[in-house]
Amino acid sequence: MADLDVVVVGAGFAGIYAAHAFRSAGLSVRVFEAGSGIGGTWFWNCYPGARCDVESKDYSYSFSPELEQEWSWSERYPAQPEVLRYLHHVAGKFGLWPLIQLNTRVTAAQWDAARSEWSVTTDDGAARTARFCVMAVGCLSAYQVPSLPGLETFGGPWYHTSRWPADGVDFTGKRVGLIGTGSTGIQVAPEIAAAAAHLYVFQRTANFAVPNRNRAVDPEWERAFKADYRSYRQRAQESFLGVPITGTGRPALAEPPAEIQRTLMARWQSGGGMPFLGAYTDVLVDRAANDIVAEFMRDRIRETVADPSVAELLCPRAYPVGAKRLCQSDDYFAMFNLPNVTLVDIRSAPISSVYAGGLRTADSVYELDALVFATGFDAISGALNRIDVRGVGGVPLTEKWAGGPRSYLGVAAAGFPNMFIVTGPGSPSVFSNMVLSIEQHVEWIRDCVVYLGSHGYSTAQAKPSAEDAWMAHVTEVAYSTLFPLADSWYVGANIPGKPRVFTPYLGGVGPYRARCDEVAAAGYEGFVLD
Ligand code: NAP
């Protein structure tokens, strides 16, 4: 008999809720977490300026109305420390700490067909067996540092934003180089600029960013909002992004140009990426409509940045707006007006090497005291591929995914019975409000496990045919949009050698949930139950 019913890998939003959900269903569960604290992405990404780009009213669990009512967020967009405090509150409120083992990295998981159980090995040398293995490892947890020649010779400290020292870094009086201008780089840059003697921002690809218009939560608004929380959550579950936003419902190309400008400006003024990109129905599927929105955003950069040549360099042109994750910031572009900030174009003159005193590009040398990498992640599949996962016949998951990650519904993989992936490749995951998608997956997995037990089955395994059909659907939906036109982490383009496969499901949170529910109602159609 297995030691446990369920092993959960990772104690972020997904692992924390999984602990609660499985235990509440009467199952024995243990969560292994590599970090010294809970929180997953919110534990590791404690760089200055880290802030969620989904509003706090949405980026929170919905499973407990009591929790929903008792917790008060202080800001429209919560900063990293507040999200972490929230997760600590949840773990304490629901008595989850005894189920979570910190400082313990899962190194391997192997399916034992004879015993119908997983053998899970951790870096403390221990091995546990479990009937089910739930991978809650996060979509953006395998961070990457580019292999720059000479990095090991650099005389000063260097940091990756996703492994930021918990007690902070003092950049006072320092010359700092920042590599990476995605969501993270755009958040951390103004914070570094505020302290450093000089900040050099090394930009390879200019990025679009909309304002947050972050503000304190008004208690009156909160009271009124909370009175309607249940029906709001219902609307969120049925929505496209997991956040009920209201668009015009019309294509931009059918709208008079002046009206488009008015609509976009109103949304720009109220802040937030989802309502802005969701204003018109054709922005993410029609290049001409997309160009209108992109030019609107470039105009905002031009009117913010004083030096026209710097402004032009900051104007994104390499991809359709939205096809890479839209960044959010209230102060990034204005930061380039500060005398201690320099934008360096490493697209035209790439970084050639790092040396003890700084960094060389093809046409210049930059003397630096510290380097910051905001260079992103081996997304979606990276964290799983770093665990030695072996399914039926000892086949490694890395071998199955050599041509790119594949799964059925983004939650299970053929050849890997009783292994479930929370917000895995082929599910809405990063293209949705993650907390809502996590809850949906955890509840679906819990219901599947309970169904197996109550119907006399011990294993569930996705059929290869179901997986093939699902991945074909994921690809078809993606290629009906502008998303594949960008060299983004959505397609693995940021990792040298990673197969180019579009992995998030773009069919919408509501329709996706409906499909998952249909599969369950049909006795887990597409799975072999044994
Ligand atoms: P990212 O979007 O992948 O951006 C990485 C940046 O590093 C890009 O500017 C990239 O340039 C640059 N880069 C990578 N390798 C490089 C190299 N060898 N030389 C020079 N530049 C290099 O990573 P991220 O900013 O950490 O964001 C990842 C995701 O995390 C986001 O898309 C978002 O989903 C999530 N996130 C969310 C929030 C939030 O909620 N507000 C905040 C941070 C992150 P290229 O574009 O040219 O590749």
Side-chain angles (χ1 to χ4, degrees):
M1 192 169 144
D3 302 333
L4 293 159
D5 292 319
V6 189
V7 156
V8 176
V9 187
F13 264 94
I16 290 170
Y17 182 43
H20 176 65
F22 290 121
R23 187 188 55 189
S24 303
L27 299 158
S28 58
V29 54
R30 185 133 204 90
V31 182
F32 294 109
E33 166 57 54
S36 60
I38 60 169
T41 200
W42 297 104
F43 172 81
W44 295 109
N45 289 275
C46 57
Y47 59 86
R51 186 178 293 286
C52 187
D53 61 1
V54 175
E55 291 192 39
S56 49
K57 68 184 189 334
D58 299 291
Y59 202 81
S60 51
Y61 291 119
S62 69
F63 69 85
S64 163
E66 190 182 290
L67 169 67
E68 216 165 55
Q69 293 298 323
E70 77 189 11
W71 181 264
S72 282
W73 294 100
S74 68
E75 293 179 279
R76 178 186 186 187
Y77 292 102
Q80 175 266 343
E82 189 168 27
V83 181
L84 210 50
R85 277 200 299 281
Y86 172 73
L87 288 173
H88 277 248
H89 173 75
V90 172
K93 178 180 173 67
F94 296 99
L96 304 177
W97 287 109
L99 306 179
I100 301 170
Q101 186 169 324
L102 300 174
N103 299 305
T104 311
R105 181 176 291 280
V106 169
T107 53
Q110 179 145 14
W111 175 245
D112 182 336
R115 301 172 66 93
S116 287
E117 62 190 30
W118 282 92
S119 172
V120 177
T121 310
T122 48
D123 61 358
D124 55 4
R128 280 85 167 181
T129 55
R131 292 167 52 221
F132 298 92
C133 186
V134 173
M135 298 298 192
V137 293
C139 295
L140 294 160
S141 41
Y143 72 102
Q144 69 134 353
V145 177
S147 49
L148 298 179
L151 180 57
E152 69 288 353
T153 66
F154 185 56
W158 63 264
Y159 310 91
H160 190 284
T161 43
S162 188
R163 287 297 178 279
W164 204 258
D167 46 3
V169 180
D170 184 5
F171 289 119
T172 309
K174 300 274 195 291
R175 297 159 302 176
V176 183
L178 168 66
I179 302 176
T181 53
S183 301
T184 303
I186 281 176
Q187 287 188 333
V188 78
E191 301 287 331
I192 299 175
H198 205 95
L199 172 66
Y200 295 89
V201 178
F202 295 93
Q203 173 188 279
R204 191 166 68 178
T205 308
N207 261 319
F208 293 98
V210 293
N212 277 319
R213 312 290 181 204
N214 191 33
R215 54 178 177 263
V217 170
D218 170 43
E220 271 310 306
W221 173 88
E222 184 189 0
R223 261 191 295 283
F225 178 78
K226 280 184 171 177
D228 186 41
Y229 226 146
R230 292 287 82 201
S231 74
Y232 182 83
R233 297 289 200 189
Q234 181 72 33
R235 294 201 299 283
Q237 289 182 358
E238 292 162 2
S239 70
F240 196 79
L241 294 168
V243 175
I245 57 161
T246 312
T248 60
R250 296 185 297 275
L253 293 180
E255 197 93 317
E259 187 53 34
I260 298 177
Q261 295 298 310
R262 263 195 298 278
T263 299
L264 293 179
M265 187 54 88
R267 286 167 187 251
W268 185 266
Q269 295 301 352
S270 64
M274 289 179 177
F276 182 78
L277 272 189
Y280 291 106
T281 54
D282 50 357
V283 175
L284 295 171
V285 292
D286 188 308
R287 192 65 198 250
N290 192 281
D291 283 345
I292 296 170
V293 178
E295 191 56 19
F296 174 93
M297 297 184 75
R298 288 191 284 264
D299 283 343
R300 304 289 77 73
I301 296 171
R302 293 180 189 114
E303 69 188 16
T304 305
V305 179
D307 181 332
S309 63
V310 175
E312 271 324 295
L313 204 51
L314 287 167
C315 282
R317 298 184 183 283
Y319 64 93
V321 57
K324 281 190 179 192
R325 173 73 168 225
L326 185 58
C327 305
Q328 289 188 200
S329 174
D330 288 328
D331 44 11
Y332 177 69
F333 294 118
M335 175 194 76
F336 289 96
N337 296 330
L338 296 172
N340 69 328
V341 177
T342 303
L343 181 66
V344 182
D345 176 14
I346 53 166
R347 172 69 63 183
S348 60
I351 296 170
S352 51
S353 64
V354 181
Y355 72 104
L359 197 152
R360 292 191 190 90
T361 64
D363 64 2
S364 208
V365 176
Y366 298 88
E367 292 181 0
L368 301 171
D369 302 307
L371 260 177
V372 174
F373 292 95
T375 42
F377 303 87
D378 182 354
I380 304 179
S381 54
L384 265 180
N385 278 338
R386 290 177 190 190
I387 302 172
D388 184 12
V389 181
R390 288 168 191 261
V392 174
V395 173
L397 187 65
T398 48
E399 188 178 308
K400 176 186 168 76
W401 284 1
R406 308 179 54 70
S407 80
Y408 177 41
L409 295 173
V411 75
F416 294 78
N418 288 8
M419 181 183 94
F420 296 100
I421 309 167
V422 183
T423 61
S427 72
S429 64
V430 292
F431 194 65
S432 71
N433 169 8
M434 281 298 286
V435 182
L436 179 135
S437 286
I438 281 168
E439 283 188 311
Q440 184 248 335
H441 260 190
V442 167
E443 288 164 11
W444 191 93
I445 296 165
R446 175 203 60 198
D447 292 350
C448 179
V449 167
V450 169
Y451 177 94
L452 294 177
S454 62
H455 287 73
Y457 296 115
S458 58
T459 60
Q461 183 182 179
K463 292 179 186 169
S465 56
E467 184 175 274
D468 290 347
W470 182 254
M471 291 314 290
H473 175 56
V474 169
T475 305
E476 187 190 352
V477 174
Y479 280 83
S480 67
T481 71
L482 301 174
F483 280 85
L485 297 181
D487 286 336
S488 66
W489 56 260
Y490 293 144
V491 292
N494 63 327
I495 301 296
K498 192 168 177 178
R500 194 179 179 104
V501 175
F502 196 93
T503 38
Y505 179 54
L506 299 182
V509 158
Y512 172 78
R513 174 184 290 268
R515 180 67 198 130
C516 290
D517 289 349
E518 279 167 20
V519 164
Y524 295 91
E525 181 192 350
F527 284 85
V528 177
L529 309 184
D530 250 331

